Amino acid sequence: MKRIEAIIRHYKLEDVKDALTEKGIVGMTVSEVRGFGRQRGHKEQYRGTEYTVDFLPKLKLELVVADDVVATAVDTISAVARTGRVGDGKIFITSVEDVIRIRTGESGGEAI
């Protein structure tokens, strides 16, 4: 099993969710996060004063999927969330040792 964390733009959430659902990948956690990468934020003006916005608002999707679905999930997120502009986000993939469903006590792949 793998845990996929994807940092994406807010307005891409519904498109990504729908695309993953079409591929049979369901179940995700979404968090509002703030951060910056290479773009180091951006400059804005408010009442004639220029200031820098360092931490940009993004969404973090977290999914735990079976090993045979990882490539499909990553390819889908990448294709749908891509705008071609700086700040599209990142995808992180880590191994998951075990999953336990609290309600039933199921573990491993059955709990996903």
Side-chain angles (χ1 to χ4, degrees):
M1 293 176 289
K2 301 286 186 203
R3 176 180 176 169
I4 301 171
E5 293 179 78
I7 309 296
I8 64 169
R9 298 176 187 271
H10 277 85
Y11 62 88
K12 289 292 190 173
L13 175 62
E14 287 300 315
D15 295 339
V16 170
K17 180 185 69 86
D18 293 342
L20 288 171
T21 302
E22 282 180 18
K23 303 279 184 176
I25 301 168
V26 294
M28 70 177 69
T29 300
V30 179
S31 306
E32 290 189 18
V33 296
R34 295 168 40 97
F36 66 89
R38 289 185 180 159
Q39 81 265 25
R40 300 267 192 242
H42 64 276
K43 297 195 184 301
E44 290 188 2
Q45 279 197 331
Y46 180 72
R47 295 188 178 182
T49 304
E50 189 174 276
Y51 64 97
T52 302
V53 178
D54 289 331
F55 293 99
L56 301 173
K58 301 284 183 176
L59 289 180
K60 179 165 83 168
L61 308 179
E62 297 176 76
L63 303 89
V64 176
V65 297
D67 289 330
D68 60 335
V69 182
V70 172
T72 302
V74 170
D75 292 345
T76 301
I77 294 168
S78 293
V80 175
R82 180 177 298 124
T83 66
R85 297 190 324 259
V86 172
D88 277 349
K90 296 238 182 344
I91 298 174
F92 304 96
I93 304 165
T94 55
S95 295
V96 174
E97 192 172 316
D98 200 5
V99 177
I100 300 167
R101 180 174 288 143
I102 295 173
R103 180 177 56 87
T104 62
E106 295 171 308
S107 64
E110 298 170 357
I112 300 178

